[in-house]
Amino acid sequence: MLKTFITLTALLAVNSPLAAATVQPSLGVRTTTIIEVDGKRFKDLNRNSKLDPYEDWRMSPEERADDLIGLMTTEEKAGLMMHGSAPSFGPNANLGFGKAYDLERAGHMIRDMKVVTFITRLNDEASKLASQNNALQDVAEGGRLGIPVTISTDPRSHFQFVQGASNASVGFSQWPETLGLAAIGDPALTRSFADTARQEYRAVGIHEALSPQIDLATEPRWARSFGTFGEDAQLSKAMAEAYVAGFQDGEDGIKAGSVIAVAKHWVGYGAAKNGWDSHSAYGQHADFSGGNFDEHLIPFEGAFKAKVAGIMPTYSILDNVVIDGKPVEPVGAGFSKELLTDLLRGRYKFDGVILSDWLITNDCKDGCLEGEAPGVTPTVNDDTFGMPWGVEGLSKVDRFVKAIDAGIDQFGGVINSDLIVQAVKENKISEERLDRSAKRILVQKFQQGLFEDPYVDPDKAASIVGNRSFISQATAAQARSTVLLENHDHLLPLKDRKRIFLVNVNPDVAKARGYDVVSTPEKADVALVRMTTPFEQPHKNYFFGARQQEGDLGFRPDNSELESFEQAAKVVPTIATIYITRAAVIPELKEKASALLANFGISDEALFDVLEGKIKPEGKLPLELPSSMQAVNAQKSDVPHDTLQPLYPIHFGLNIE
């Protein structure tokens, strides 16, 4: 009995994120020497031939962080507060897109700017991505104090790819968008998804997920709805808790196997005024004229329950919001003391890392502010591209000061650590304030075990990422998340209709299932048309606006997908499946489709599994589909599912008998 108690006590001590370790961990070493003390092995990270407390894995993360902060210069603390883009070779190299890191530039950032947190946007097979991340850690290991790099990523496990919001999936298991997980409505499945992604991320050397996006998507026209759990606050709360628990490997904080989850965007982003996204200068505001701010807080309560480690504030300026009797200052949330210190730190007692959204301290000028002429491709230029909404009149130094005073610990997308150092020298920020942010950041690195071994096995990564089991689960979730909106004359499941006309569907998939793919609707027994949520881009060519689906929600008469659908529907029973990235106004499809399905990212294989009845569509709409743009224009941006007589109400979904 005593032996069992001792073993259990030791196990709890090892697994507690706040406790000192008791068992020799494996040590990953490239350039650092190993020293032995009391029969234990440790990394001599600062190469002084003695064991410093921060190098001693037997001590708690807090103790180690305190010791390391005492050894750091102001420049190094300021560097910790930068979250840069890992530089790469190739197109958009300044944003890090490509196949390989530019290690010379990365070395400059790590050694000279003291940056040790980077977002990776590399897209390559798992073993190569793992090798690239190892190379980045090798550079960091050679730094003065040997502080390992924390590598983050935008979501990689879904279908949608919007530059600056998500990453293209290369080899990772591909699940429906988070809207699709909400459509299934099963927190256990959402946790399973997140746990799968956690394993894939850690296998390739990624430690931080810039997700979940748990904004309440109350404005139907908003371009970023696809990344949310929809507009049901309680459902979003449950999904947020499950998502964070899956990524962080439990609800008891960060540990060796965790991926840090960064819940975003605090708070109210989903009430985007007129639906315009606040990445762009024309969409800076969120509109709370409906008086519904408190409901937008509810999803974050689920993340807090799971002890989420990071929070990212929204770009948006919140209109018509009062907290504790005081109007919120008209600045982006990353500069708002009311939102970050009073509400987030104060009311909700959040003590993790507050990471700003990207580029909030940069200027927005020229094409960023006015848009580019047609035919001119917008680019990110550090001198002219940024999102400093509400503080455009401040200098860059004073933007850093205001954000840090508001509560920001780390700045996304920039490496201007010298400006924070300048602010300290000018007595605008205290050294003690830097210490608080530095400790939050360092504690998480220690909790994850990065100081002991930040390296991964490329061969093992190849066997974990996108393995058969993960892909099978993801593909089944794609099918299950489908929402059946119409099924006239019990067309589904398909049985005897073998001559099929296809639009935007791979004919090889249909042929492999025994269908005769014909060239015109007139020759077919049934037609299948894939479509996407309609959109427009009425503004000039902005960097983010050009890559997002904004504007009206209805099909224009010249929409090619609508034309193909209507031509087919005139002569043959036609199945339409529409990829829902935000609310859509689709009366034409309701009227003319023999069967209509909403999907949230689905492969052709998974789609045929649904059509043939092999997997039943379980989805219920996580947001309503309005009946008209007149109804959309009359609704309140901050109030969920409030359009008049929606075409399909929230939580609608038929069953196949």
Side-chain angles (χ1 to χ4, degrees):
M1 185 71 177
L2 179 60
K3 181 179 179 181
T4 301
F5 175 77
I6 293 172
T7 302
L8 179 59
T9 302
L11 182 63
L12 289 172
V14 171
N15 288 339
S16 171
L18 301 180
T22 59
V23 178
Q24 172 73 59
S26 62
L27 303 179
V29 173
R30 296 292 175 91
T31 58
T32 299
T33 58
I34 299 294
I35 57 178
E36 290 196 16
V37 176
D38 300 330
K40 306 293 186 181
R41 302 169 71 245
F42 305 87
K43 293 167 70 171
D44 185 17
L45 292 164
N46 60 4
R47 294 169 291 279
N48 66 354
S49 301
K50 69 176 185 178
L51 180 62
D52 292 283
Y54 88 92
E55 299 166 334
D56 189 344
W57 45 261
R58 297 171 300 183
M59 302 186 72
S60 73
E62 290 76 12
E63 291 170 322
R64 298 177 73 181
D66 285 337
D67 177 67
L68 181 51
I69 289 168
L71 301 175
M72 296 177 75
T73 65
T74 303
E75 289 77 8
E76 287 164 335
K77 296 172 190 175
L80 273 180
M81 298 175 71
M82 301 293 107
H83 195 128
S85 297
S88 69
F89 297 104
N92 289 311
N94 59 329
L95 294 178
F97 293 96
K99 297 290 186 182
Y101 295 130
D102 183 340
L103 295 178
E104 183 176 348
R105 289 175 61 206
H108 164 69
M109 293 180 182
I110 293 169
R111 288 187 301 270
D112 301 329
M113 305 304 290
K114 317 301 181 187
V115 181
V116 286
T117 305
F118 294 96
I119 183 174
T120 179
R121 294 190 174 99
L122 293 191
N123 290 308
D124 210 335
E125 59 189 68
S127 61
K128 293 180 179 178
L129 182 55
S131 295
Q132 285 294 308
N133 287 335
N134 282 345
L136 201 61
Q137 295 291 359
D138 195 358
V139 175
E141 189 178 332
R144 186 180 78 90
L145 296 169
I147 300 173
V149 166
T150 296
I151 299 172
S152 72
T153 185
D154 282 321
R156 291 175 175 262
S157 304
H158 307 288
F159 281 76
Q160 182 88 351
F161 173 54
V162 175
Q163 194 157 287
S166 58
N167 251 59
S169 176
V170 178
F172 288 76
S173 56
Q174 198 167 27
W175 297 68
E177 307 296 345
T178 46
L179 264 183
L181 297 175
I184 297 172
D186 181 0
L189 178 66
T190 296
R191 182 163 178 168
S192 179
F193 150 73
D195 183 67
T196 297
R198 176 189 66 82
Q199 295 176 61
E200 292 182 319
Y201 282 17
R202 287 304 299 257
V204 299
I206 293 172
H207 318 107
E208 184 169 5
L210 301 180
S211 58
Q213 185 188 343
I214 53 178
D215 309 294
L216 201 59
T218 53
E219 168 51 65
R221 293 164 289 186
W222 183 43
R224 294 289 300 277
S225 297
F226 71 89
T228 75
F229 292 113
E231 57 179 337
D232 180 322
Q234 293 299 330
L235 176 62
S236 296
K237 176 182 176 179
M239 293 293 119
E241 181 182 353
Y243 189 111
V244 171
F247 264 103
Q248 295 190 172
D249 198 20
E251 298 196 25
D252 54 353
I254 300 301
K255 55 180 74 70
S258 299
V259 167
I260 294 166
V262 180
K264 59 187 187 184
H265 302 83
W266 181 261
V267 60
Y269 191 17
K273 187 174 182 178
N274 298 318
W276 303 125
D277 189 77
S278 58
H279 273 85
S280 301
Y282 56 79
Q284 299 180 19
H285 294 264
D287 179 11
F288 284 88
S289 56
N292 200 44
F293 176 71
D294 285 349
E295 192 164 359
H296 287 251
L297 296 168
I298 292 172
F300 288 89
E301 294 172 359
F304 297 144
K305 186 176 179 181
K307 293 185 171 59
V308 68
I311 290 289
M312 180 181 290
T314 177
Y315 288 124
S316 304
I317 298 170
L318 307 189
D319 295 342
N320 306 303
V321 173
V322 175
I323 298 176
D324 296 330
K326 184 171 62 174
V328 171
E329 184 182 4
V331 294
F335 301 101
S336 173
K337 199 163 189 175
E338 294 96 341
L339 293 175
L340 303 187
T341 295
D342 298 345
L343 189 60
L344 181 57
R345 297 281 193 212
R347 183 189 303 179
Y348 287 100
K349 309 303 180 187
F350 177 74
D351 195 38
V353 174
I354 302 179
L355 167 64
S356 86
D357 211 333
W358 260 229
L359 310 177
I360 68 168
T361 55
N362 279 9
D363 290 324
C364 180
K365 300 187 294 188
D366 303 334
C368 171
L369 188 62
E370 303 293 340
E372 301 287 0
V376 176
T377 301
T379 58
V380 170
N381 181 313
D382 286 342
D383 294 327
T384 62
F385 193 90
M387 295 79 165
W389 311 145
V391 297
E392 291 89 341
L394 296 180
S395 69
K396 286 188 178 182
V397 171
D398 287 338
R399 291 174 195 162
F400 277 104
V401 172
K402 186 171 179 62
I404 292 170
D405 183 60
I408 293 292
D409 295 307
Q410 199 173 58
F411 292 85
V414 295
I415 58 170
N416 307 102
S417 56
D418 56 319
L419 298 183
I420 295 181
V421 174
Q422 179 184 335
V424 172
K425 291 179 178 177
E426 294 174 354
N427 295 317
K428 294 180 176 180
I429 304 173
S430 70
E431 190 89 22
E432 186 273 336
R433 174 63 186 86
L434 265 58
D435 290 350
R436 293 204 301 273
S437 290
K439 184 170 182 177
R440 292 186 182 110
I441 295 162
L442 288 172
V443 162
Q444 292 182 355
K445 289 178 184 279
F446 284 118
Q447 289 171 335
Q448 289 184 297
L450 300 187
F451 278 84
E452 278 59 65
D453 189 4
Y455 299 103
V456 293
D457 182 341
D459 292 333
K460 188 176 180 180
S463 68
I464 292 175
V465 174
N467 67 56
R468 184 174 300 177
S469 174
F470 289 172
I471 289 176
S472 176
Q473 295 173 57
T475 303
Q478 294 170 23
R480 291 176 59 195
S481 68
T482 304
V483 180
L484 181 63
L485 300 175
E486 303 289 342
N487 189 24
H488 297 295
D489 299 323
H490 302 287
L491 177 61
L492 300 180
L494 289 176
K495 294 177 181 176
D496 301 324
R497 300 173 186 270
K498 286 300 181 181
R499 292 177 299 173
I500 192 167
F501 174 72
L502 302 174
V503 178
N504 298 328
V505 178
N506 185 346
D508 293 337
V509 174
K511 291 175 183 177
R513 290 178 178 250
Y515 292 90
D516 178 14
V517 179
V518 298
S519 57
T520 65
E522 289 79 6
K523 298 177 181 178
D525 300 317
V526 66
L528 173 60
V529 181
R530 267 190 181 272
M531 310 176 75
T532 56
T533 301
F535 66 96
E536 60 178 351
Q537 292 165 339
H539 290 275
K540 286 195 245 181
N541 201 12
Y542 289 82
F543 182 81
F544 282 100
R547 290 160 171 78
Q548 299 201 108
Q549 298 184 357
E550 297 186 313
D552 282 359
L553 298 167
F555 285 110
R556 292 178 176 274
D558 61 351
N559 182 282
S560 61
E561 292 178 346
L562 180 63
E563 289 176 350
S564 296
F565 163 76
E566 291 186 326
Q567 289 171 5
K570 287 178 182 178
V571 296
V572 67
T574 298
I575 304 164
T577 181
I578 182 167
Y579 177 34
I580 296 294
T581 59
R582 58 179 184 151
V585 176
I586 51 173
E588 306 95 331
L589 304 189
K590 179 179 175 63
E591 178 186 352
K592 299 175 183 178
S594 297
L596 176 60
L597 303 105
N599 75 77
F600 305 93
I602 189 169
S603 67
D604 288 338
E605 289 284 0
L607 176 58
F608 273 98
D609 282 344
V610 173
L611 300 181
E612 295 174 345
K614 294 178 179 178
I615 299 179
K616 290 186 177 181
E618 300 176 25
K620 306 299 179 184
L621 286 175
L623 41 72
E624 70 178 10
L625 302 186
S627 58
S628 68
M629 280 308 300
Q630 289 83 356
V632 170
N633 293 332
Q635 55 83 49
K636 297 289 188 181
S637 291
D638 58 322
V639 178
H641 43 88
D642 65 331
T643 65
L644 184 65
Q645 297 179 330
L647 195 68
Y648 297 104
I650 189 170
H651 304 314
F652 179 86
L654 301 175
N655 297 318
I656 292 182
E657 302 299 333

